[in-house]
């Protein structure tokens, strides 16, 4: 990061700070070689924070031949893994267990609200039980084969189990979400706390709107900043704590003893609207303005985009506008002179949440205990593999064997990455990776200058034979290890920008982009799209292996 945002962004990423992107579209747009787009590819996602890019990618253009075989995920905290599992679980629920409307509402509530409906809390408990069974069973859960936690360390699996048990709320661990939110808010604002309306309006109207996130309404943004609830889609009580937004953090008490305290330690300034609430490219009608202001808020846009994604996962075809946003057909004929403030006030009446045609009629028991097939068939087309926490720097060396192919191909072949995605919270790892590889190259250069005795040569040969017998291949014993060895001959690096972090000034955004550009160059990547710091929410770089380079 280019600014000290610890108090405002916290130490855990609960949602992305950029809109969801379609990895399929990125391949065809930013890679020059499209002749092999019919193949399935592996992706490495570092510090993504949530599953927004995954659900959008697997739901888009499902009938096209290009597909994604494996998503390898790396996060700094185990709570992020638990949330990603939860989000994929909801997305792949069949409509006989959860209606499209109910599934969309539960997803958004658990995604961006610190307080949820009672039915959403019960559903969270249900999912936690299922995920605990999968985590504690080495053979996995029969219906959750698309989730792979086998590569996690046993300590990390125990931590994951503890987080999931906390979600159930049966251990008696206290978590007062509203109190935690207010504490974070007061500490962050300090003396500005008494000027909250002006502070929130400035951050939204001046910063976010100037950076093209105009779909976020100042009133809904202020409501989220003040109370922590982004998606209140129904006129009902949101009075149950969302325990999936809690994480443990170590503090010292007055006696100097350390202890873990559960609280809300995530973002309190950017909002979860950025993930699904500012992209209207699929339905431009949602960008309609009334008296210079958007007629539809980020809450409604988020609901439309999530409904579209979930419907396409179920039906594997393009979602018609009559299902994603049925209110558009009537709203576009309304008087354009309507006051924007009144439009926002009656948003609940016009949104999908109160459309009787789509309101779920299922009871809680049927929702949780339904016997419909789970998950959807699309789950058979991809797999999510969770790698050890903070393992990115060791992928070319210590964890290289994790990417060996599982099929009958030669043991020396590995699954290479077609796309590498890295969130802005972990972008510094690119610089750390370059420094480590430079040290390794210098060490190898020195070792080549030293004569090796015949005994050492024989020892190396013996070790190589042993590794071959174990099916690891001699290439994994090479002295020159590089991260680019894990990439396809042509690969794409996608880096999340800091554009929508409201406390970062425009000059700092430009400096961040220049710094990322230099780090990418150091790793043999080149710019695939000209960078516009104040408009691009993602930066794209292309890697192309030189013909003279040796391949594994």
């Amino acid at each position: 990061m280019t600014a000290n945002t610890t108090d405002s962004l916290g130490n855990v990423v609960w949602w992305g700070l950029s809109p969801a992107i379609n990895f399929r579209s990125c391949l065809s747009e930013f890679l020059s070689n499209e002749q092999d787009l019919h193949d399935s590819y592996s992706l490495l996602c570092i510090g993504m924070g949530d599953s927004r890019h995954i659900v959008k990618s697997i739901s888009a253009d499902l009938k096209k031949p290009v597909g994604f075989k494996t998503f390898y995920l790396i996060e700094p905290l185990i709570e992020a893994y638990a949330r990603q599992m939860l989000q994929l679980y909801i997305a792949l629920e069949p409509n006989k267990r959860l209606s499209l409307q109910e599934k969309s509402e539960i997803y958004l509530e658990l995604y961006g609200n610190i307080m949820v409906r009672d039915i959403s809390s019960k559903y969270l408990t249900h999912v936690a039980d299922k995920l605990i069974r999968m985590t504690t069973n080495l053979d996995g859960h029969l219906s959750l084969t698309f989730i792979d936690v086998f590569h996690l360390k046993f300590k990390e699996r125990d931590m994951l189990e503890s987080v999931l048990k906390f979600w159930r709320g049966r251990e008696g661990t206290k978590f007062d979400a509203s109190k935690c939110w207010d504490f974070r808010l007061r500490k962050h604002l300090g003396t500005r706390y008494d000027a909250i309306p002006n502070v929130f309006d400035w951050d939204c109207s001046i910063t976010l709107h100037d950076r093209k996130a105009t779909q976020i309404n100042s009133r809904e943004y202020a409501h989220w900043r003040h109370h922590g609830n982004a998606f209140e889609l129904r006129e009902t009580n949101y009075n149950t704590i969302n325990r999936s937004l809690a994480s443990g953090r170590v503090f010292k008490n007055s006696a100097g003893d350390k202890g873990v305290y559960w609280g809300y330690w995530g973002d309190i300034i950017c909002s979860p609207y950025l993930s699904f609430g500012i992209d209207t490219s699929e339905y431009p009608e949602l960008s309609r303005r009334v008296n210079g202001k958007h007629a539809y808020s980020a809450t409604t846009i988020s609901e439309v985009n999530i409904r579209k994604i979930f419907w396409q996962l179920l039906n594997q075809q393009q979602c018609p506008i009559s299902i994603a946003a049925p209110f558009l057909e009537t709203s576009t004929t309304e008087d354009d002179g309507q006051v924007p403030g009144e439009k926002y006030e009656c948003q609940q009446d016009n949104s999908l949440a109160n459309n009787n045609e789509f309101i779920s009629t299922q009871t809680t028991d049927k929702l949780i205990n339904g016997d419909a097939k789970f998950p959807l068939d699309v789950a058979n087309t991809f797999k999510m593999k969770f790698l050890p926490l903070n393992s990115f720097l060791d992928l070319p060396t210590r964890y290289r064997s994790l990417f060996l192919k599982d099929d009958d191909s030669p043991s020396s072949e590995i699954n290479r990455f077609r796309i590498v995605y890295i969130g802005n919270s972990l972008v510094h790892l690119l610089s750390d990776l370059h420094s480590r590889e430079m040290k390794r190259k210098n060490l190898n250069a020195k070792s080549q200058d030293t004569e090796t005795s015949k005994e050492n040569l024989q020892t190396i040969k013996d070790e190589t034979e042993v590794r071959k017998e174990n099916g690891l291949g001699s290439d994994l014993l090479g002295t020159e290890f590089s991260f680019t060895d894990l990439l396809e001959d042509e690969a794409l690096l996608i880096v999340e920008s800091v554009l929508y972090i409201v406390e970062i000034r425009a000059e700092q955004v430009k400096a961040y982009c220049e710094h990322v550009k230099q780090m990418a160059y150091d790793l043999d990547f080149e710019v695939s799209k000209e960078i516009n710091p104040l408009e691009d929410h993602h930066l794209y770089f292309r890697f192309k292996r030189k013909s003279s380079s040796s391949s594994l």
Side-chain angles (χ1 to χ4, degrees), residues 46-162:
I46 309 148
M48 191 164 54
D50 58 14
S51 63
R52 67 192 188 284
H53 302 314
I54 297 178
V55 295
K56 183 167 184 176
S57 297
I58 63 177
S59 69
D61 304 325
L62 287 171
K63 290 191 175 182
K64 289 188 177 181
V66 61
F68 300 111
K69 179 168 49 179
T70 308
F71 294 90
Y72 293 92
L73 306 182
I74 298 178
E75 296 288 345
L77 295 174
I78 202 69
E79 290 88 349
Y81 283 163
R83 287 261 298 179
Q84 289 167 342
M85 294 178 189
L86 168 66
Q87 291 161 13
L88 263 294
Y89 191 101
I90 299 174
L92 297 178
E93 281 275 18
N95 61 343
K96 291 184 178 180
R97 283 165 47 116
L98 273 180
S99 69
L100 181 61
Q101 177 62 31
E102 193 69 56
K103 181 161 63 172
S104 302
E105 292 181 6
I106 290 178
Y107 182 93
L108 289 174
E109 287 178 30
L110 295 177
Y111 185 84
N113 288 7
I114 64 169
M115 305 297 292
V116 298
R117 294 176 296 153
D118 181 64
I119 190 173
S120 300
S121 178
K122 291 180 179 179
Y123 180 80
L124 177 63
T125 301
H126 159 72
V127 176
D129 287 332
K130 297 291 185 182
L131 294 179
I132 288 174
R133 291 176 55 191
M134 178 207 68
T135 303
T136 56
N137 183 6
L138 290 177
D139 295 331
H141 195 281
L142 293 178
S143 63
L144 299 175
T145 55
F146 61 95
I147 296 177
D148 185 355
V149 296
F150 181 77
H151 298 307
L152 293 180
K153 301 175 183 177
F154 284 102
K155 178 182 178 181
E156 294 168 344
R157 292 165 71 100
D158 292 340
M159 294 167 58
L160 179 59
E161 181 185 1
S162 298

Side-chain angles (χ1 to χ4, degrees), residues 360-540:
S360 171
T361 58
Q362 295 173 317
T363 63
T364 303
D365 292 338
K366 183 178 179 181
L367 184 153
I368 293 178
N369 300 317
D371 56 356
K373 180 182 177 182
F374 176 84
L376 297 177
D377 292 337
V378 69
N380 299 322
T381 64
F382 73 98
K383 185 179 288 288
M384 292 176 58
K385 291 191 176 183
F386 296 89
L387 301 182
L389 299 176
N390 298 311
S391 58
F392 173 66
L393 296 179
D394 294 321
L395 292 184
T397 53
R398 182 179 180 183
Y399 298 108
R400 195 173 190 174
S401 60
L402 299 182
F403 310 109
L404 289 173
K405 289 188 175 180
D406 298 328
D407 51 23
D408 297 331
S409 58
S411 60
S412 61
E413 295 187 14
I414 63 174
N415 289 313
R416 301 177 188 270
F417 303 129
R418 185 66 163 174
I419 295 179
V420 177
Y421 180 93
I422 185 165
N424 53 34
S425 62
L426 295 181
V427 72
H428 62 277
L429 292 179
L430 295 177
S431 178
D432 297 341
L433 178 64
H434 174 65
S435 299
R436 178 172 293 194
E437 293 193 349
M438 290 301 297
K439 291 180 181 179
R440 188 178 296 115
K441 288 181 180 179
N442 293 335
L443 181 62
N444 290 336
K446 292 181 180 180
S447 63
Q448 291 177 359
D449 295 336
T450 304
E451 294 184 358
T452 306
S453 62
K454 294 182 179 180
E455 292 79 3
N456 290 338
L457 287 175
Q458 185 61 39
T459 301
I460 293 176
K461 291 180 180 179
D462 294 340
E463 291 179 352
T464 303
E465 293 299 327
V466 172
R467 296 295 292 271
K468 284 184 177 180
E469 292 177 0
N470 292 333
L472 294 179
S474 60
D475 64 287
L476 298 180
L477 291 173
T479 56
E480 294 186 4
F481 297 104
S482 174
F483 175 73
T484 55
D485 291 337
L486 298 177
L487 303 178
E488 294 275 2
D489 291 339
E490 190 173 10
L492 185 66
L493 171 65
I494 305 176
V495 180
E496 184 182 28
S497 179
V498 293
L499 177 64
Y500 298 119
I501 300 180
V502 297
E503 292 188 341
I504 293 184
R505 299 187 298 272
E507 296 77 10
Q508 294 174 309
V509 175
K510 295 178 181 178
Y512 171 87
C513 293
E514 286 297 322
H515 185 49
V516 170
K517 182 178 178 180
Q518 183 59 49
M519 289 189 293
Y521 280 161
D522 292 339
L523 294 174
D524 297 329
F525 287 87
E526 60 182 16
V527 174
S528 183
K529 174 189 175 184
E530 184 178 355
I531 299 176
N532 189 336
L534 297 183
E535 291 187 6
D536 296 339
H537 47 75
H538 285 95
L539 313 178
Y540 299 89

